């Protein structure tokens, strides 16, 4: 086995680099994975790149295979798709998803990888972690047939939630964002789009994923009496204020947090993390999810691209990182 690999590290807030790393000798229950592509989770990874993780959240924000510590140096990320080169016979040669940082090859326990269904191309499978967050959010929200639903914030998470909840019978779903360019993504997903000022109100449920004070305020404004806002945004060290003195009490509104780090309580006794991830990969057989991948770079370019993503100079949704090999090209 080749014992070296290359990994992207945040050297210090705002500055990344690619380092040579040594791989451990695989054990009998391990797999060796050669990376085909990885995805940048714009919201969380931008926050990490800027050094915006609050010290109180260092433990909660750890990625499964993170090396180093916040604010840096740290190797961070969790959307990796690769090809199993060594390991148990039933996995060798399989394309798999793993919650691993941006690295060219890695060794992990076989239990840490999930086979990608044959119906899902590797290049789309980088969205598995994002769709998994959306699945968990809908387990938390428990929307009902015929509900009126607003999804505020057309980023990766909001778009994934809207795409899934639009499949519920009889629902009215609007994907809401201040960027009119996101209308094209909504159309590709088969979801109605509205600017915040044009959004339909009287909603039973509003899912908020814009990570802005204005977005959360608008989500509350769109609720019908006794409606619920499910908050998916991660604000890091940013403080926000809300108009809880207006219709919040008289309307008996609910503001509820949801986070993918635990399986939603409604399914916790009957579904494991592995079950949830496998379901998310199955859902990615829908080619409309390709609309969420809006930019791409080679792995060697990541140190120069991450500052642009974190600063908002490279807008879009999922940014895919390509690990250039002949085999990778065949699988993407």
């Amino acid at each position: 086995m080749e014992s070296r690999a290359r990994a992207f590290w945040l050297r210090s807030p705002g500055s990344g680099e690619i380092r040579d790393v040594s791989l451990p000798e695989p054990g009998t229950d391990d797999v060796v994975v050669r990376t085909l592509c990885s995805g940048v989770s714009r919201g969380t990874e931008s926050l990490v790149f800027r050094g915006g993780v609050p010290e109180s959240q260092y433990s909660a924000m750890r990625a499964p295979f993170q090396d180093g510590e916040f604010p840096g140096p740290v190797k961070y990320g969790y959307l990796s798709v690769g090809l199993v080169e060594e390991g148990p016979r039933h996995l060798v040669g399989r394309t798999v998803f793993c919650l691993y940082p941006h690295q060219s090859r890695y060794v992990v326990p076989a239990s840490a990888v999930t086979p990608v269904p044959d119906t899902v191309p590797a290049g789309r499978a980088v969205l598995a972690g994002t769709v998994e967050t959306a699945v968990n959010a809908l387990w938390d929200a428990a929307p009902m047939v015929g509900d009126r639903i607003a999804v505020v914030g057309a980023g990766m998470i909001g778009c994934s939630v809207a795409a899934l909840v639009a499949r519920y019978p009889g629902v009215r779903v609007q994907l809401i964002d201040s960027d009119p360019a996101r209308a094209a993504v909504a159309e590709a997903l088969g979801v109605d789009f509205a600017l915040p000022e044009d959004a339909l109100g009287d909603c039973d449920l509003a899912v908020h994923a814009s990570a802005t004070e204005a977005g959360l305020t608008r989500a509350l404004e769109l609720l019908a009496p006794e409606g619920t806002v499910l908050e998916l945004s991660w604000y890091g060290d940013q403080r926000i204020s809300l108009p809880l003195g207006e219709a919040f009490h008289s309307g008996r509104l609910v503001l509820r947090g949801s986070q993918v780090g635990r399986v939603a309580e409604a399914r916790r006794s009957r579904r494991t993390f592995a079950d949830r991830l496998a379901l998310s990969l199955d859902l990615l057989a829908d080619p409309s999810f390709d609309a969420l991948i809006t930019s791409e770079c080679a792995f060697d370019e990541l140190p120069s691209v991450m500052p642009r993503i974190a600063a908002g100079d490279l807008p879009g949704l999922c940014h895919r990182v390509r690990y250039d090999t002949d085999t990778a090209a065949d699988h993407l």
Side-chain angles (χ1 to χ4, degrees), residues 50 117 186 221 266:
R50 294 192 299 264
E221 292 171 347

Side-chain angles (χ1 to χ4, degrees), residues 18-42:
I18 291 177
R19 298 181 179 180
D20 290 329
V21 296
S22 297
L23 297 181
E25 189 67 26
T28 55
D29 296 323
D30 291 338
V31 289
V32 180
V33 179
R34 178 157 49 84
T35 309
L36 301 172
C37 54
S38 60
V40 176
S41 180
R42 282 179 182 266

Side-chain angles (χ1 to χ4, degrees), residues 101-257:
H102 308 284
Q103 184 166 309
S104 61
R105 298 172 78 246
Y106 47 90
V107 178
V108 294
S111 59
V113 302
T114 303
V116 175
D118 292 339
T119 54
V120 180
R124 191 187 306 152
V126 296
L127 296 169
T130 304
V131 173
E132 184 181 15
T133 301
V135 167
N136 205 60
L138 293 178
W139 283 350
D140 271 330
M144 301 179 70
V145 171
D147 271 359
R148 298 177 295 274
I149 301 170
V151 181
V152 181
M156 290 171 62
I157 300 297
C159 285
S160 297
V161 169
L164 295 182
V165 79
R167 303 178 183 188
Y168 283 59
V171 297
R172 185 196 79 191
V173 181
Q174 273 196 325
L175 182 59
I176 300 157
D177 200 276
S178 59
D179 181 0
R182 295 293 164 88
V185 179
E187 182 179 7
L189 296 172
V191 179
D192 187 32
F193 176 83
L195 296 172
E197 60 270 23
D198 300 325
L200 298 173
D202 199 32
C203 292
D204 304 289
L205 169 68
V207 179
H208 179 242
S210 80
T212 66
E213 181 178 303
L216 182 51
T217 298
R218 188 62 178 137
L220 285 166
E221 292 171 347
L222 294 174
L223 290 180
E226 305 205 358
T228 296
V229 168
L230 189 76
E231 175 60 277
L232 297 181
S233 300
W234 168 241
Y235 297 93
D237 56 2
Q238 177 187 0
R239 289 183 176 270
I240 64 168
S241 61
L242 294 175
L244 301 185
E246 298 181 11
F248 186 77
H249 285 281
S250 62
R252 296 173 54 87
L253 305 183
V254 175
L255 175 59
R256 182 181 180 189

